[in-house]
Amino acid sequence: MDIAILFCTCVVVLGVASIQHQLTRSDRRVARVERKIDAVMRHLDLEEEVPRKDEILTLVRDGKQVQAIRLYREATGAGLVEAKQAVDAMS
């Protein structure tokens, strides 16, 4: 009985490790594709359209950086660091 539990635990641990490895690999691939798309957009002098940009700019002008970052994250799905960098660039 103890050997069966140990075996099942090992299988689960190995399965989780395998899934995590695949996710990490996928994250790296997505990041690489995003960098390439960003380079192409810069080369073509294109700018990404930000939803609700007018509202975000109003918050920035009013000195409400935290609310602007929160709204940027809600509108774009960006992470905290990316949203802060984008809002700072709008200042």
Side-chain angles (χ1 to χ4, degrees):
M1 185 71 167
D2 291 336
I3 293 174
I5 293 173
L6 181 62
F7 177 74
C8 289
T9 303
C10 289
V11 168
V12 169
V13 168
L14 289 174
V16 169
S18 175
I19 291 170
Q20 187 169 1
H21 174 70
Q22 290 295 328
L23 289 175
T24 302
R25 191 169 152 209
S26 295
D27 288 344
R28 286 193 309 262
R29 294 174 100 191
V30 167
R32 189 171 63 241
V33 170
E34 286 178 344
R35 283 192 306 273
K36 289 178 181 181
I37 291 172
D38 290 342
V40 169
M41 288 182 69
R42 278 192 306 274
H43 178 73
L44 296 174
D45 200 27
L46 297 174
E47 189 174 315
E48 184 177 358
E49 187 65 32
V50 177
R52 301 174 73 181
K53 186 174 182 176
D54 295 334
E55 295 174 56
I56 296 167
L57 286 172
T58 301
L59 289 170
V60 169
R61 279 189 230 114
D62 293 344
K64 299 179 179 178
Q65 294 290 97
V66 174
Q67 290 89 342
I69 292 169
R70 184 178 299 130
L71 182 59
Y72 185 92
R73 290 185 71 195
E74 289 173 7
T76 64
L80 181 60
V81 173
E82 182 183 347
K84 182 171 182 345
Q85 291 170 346
V87 169
D88 288 345
M90 291 180 190
S91 307

